[in-house]
Amino acid sequence: MLKRLMPKSDEFFDAFDAQCAVTVEGAKMLHALLVDYRDVAVRVQALREVEHRGDDVTHAAFNRLHKEFITPFDRAQIHTLLSRIDDVLDLTNAAAARLHYYEIETTQPDAAELARLLVLSTEKVQEVVAALRLIKKPDQILAGCKDIKRLESQTDEALRAGMGRLFKSGVDTLTIIKWKEIYDLIETATDKCNGVANVIEGVVLEHS
């Protein structure tokens, strides 16, 4: 009887998976926009709607966290994990929004490269988060976390190189300021992926 009354912890894993799915979707939309730069207002709005879907998933999971007695692992870790995955999509949306609000007329190859690395990072996050259901296989999860950290380092290097090219490009100062903010937002989104990896490493090490 007691077992039937207990909430299903699988619902948290379902929420993580749903969060990751919309986050990957948003990152791919940003990358596609920066590669094929057209219909900016429409595509930015579409990404904003994806971000709203992600918010709905996150808020529902937070509500469940406050109500349920049984959780698959520490509540604080669950809260942090949900927050950091949500941050990735928020920052992705913010970068896309700047393209529209700042009336950016043409794309930059370095922005597309940063977005490509973000897509890879979100896909790896999705893979590692899904593997949390198999927490008894820690090596697989920890290897995925290392891949996320490697991608974060690649993104840091891509940002430095991209900023160098931007400053040498001869474009006006205002354009540099606009693109620097967009680059930074994409890079910070990748940092948040690394933050997800840090949380997951803690969970795995505590339960292995």
Side-chain angles (χ1 to χ4, degrees):
M1 176 64 72
L2 180 60
K3 186 176 181 180
R4 289 202 301 267
L5 293 174
M6 290 298 184
K8 293 182 179 179
S9 61
D10 280 354
E11 292 178 349
F12 284 106
F13 292 116
D14 292 342
F16 294 146
D17 290 343
Q19 267 195 316
C20 289
V22 292
T23 301
V24 170
E25 182 180 355
K28 286 182 175 179
M29 291 171 73
L30 176 62
H31 179 244
L33 174 57
L34 287 166
V35 170
D36 181 19
Y37 200 70
R38 57 185 173 81
D39 303 325
V40 176
V42 173
R43 295 165 77 182
V44 167
Q45 177 59 35
L47 202 161
R48 183 177 297 115
E49 291 169 2
V50 169
E51 191 266 338
H52 289 330
R53 281 165 40 206
D55 283 343
D56 289 342
V57 173
T58 303
H59 293 157
F62 280 147
N63 288 335
R64 185 177 300 115
L65 183 61
H66 290 299
K67 293 177 181 178
E68 294 199 356
F69 179 68
I70 299 295
T71 58
F73 47 90
D74 183 77
R75 290 176 183 275
Q77 291 173 319
I78 292 174
H79 190 282
T80 303
L81 186 57
L82 290 166
S83 296
R84 289 185 180 172
I85 299 172
D86 184 58
D87 287 342
V88 176
L89 186 53
D90 285 347
L91 289 160
T92 301
N93 177 61
R98 298 304 192 278
L99 296 169
H100 175 54
Y101 293 141
Y102 292 170
E103 299 181 343
I104 301 293
E105 295 181 357
T106 58
T107 189
Q108 290 283 346
D110 287 305
E113 173 61 9
L114 288 168
R116 184 187 72 84
L117 291 168
L118 177 60
V119 170
L120 294 177
S121 296
T122 58
E123 289 177 334
K124 184 57 66 172
V125 165
Q126 184 178 38
E127 176 185 318
V128 171
V129 169
L132 275 177
R133 293 179 187 264
L134 306 174
I135 202 166
K136 293 181 180 179
K137 298 182 178 180
D139 291 344
Q140 174 188 346
I141 301 174
L142 294 176
C145 290
K146 287 182 180 179
D147 289 338
I148 294 169
K149 294 175 185 296
R150 176 180 53 80
L151 286 165
E152 194 269 337
S153 295
Q154 289 181 19
T155 305
D156 285 345
E157 179 57 34
L159 175 64
R160 289 190 287 267
M163 287 304 304
R165 282 186 284 269
L166 186 62
F167 280 110
K168 294 175 184 177
S169 66
V171 298
D172 63 275
T173 302
L174 184 58
T175 298
I176 290 175
I177 292 171
K178 291 176 181 178
W179 274 113
K180 181 182 184 304
E181 184 174 351
I182 294 166
Y183 286 11
D184 284 341
L185 286 166
I186 301 172
E187 190 274 336
T188 304
T190 309
D191 281 345
K192 294 295 183 179
C193 290
N194 189 46
V196 171
N198 289 335
V199 175
I200 292 174
E201 282 181 335
V203 172
V204 171
L205 293 173
E206 287 180 14
H207 290 81
S208 60

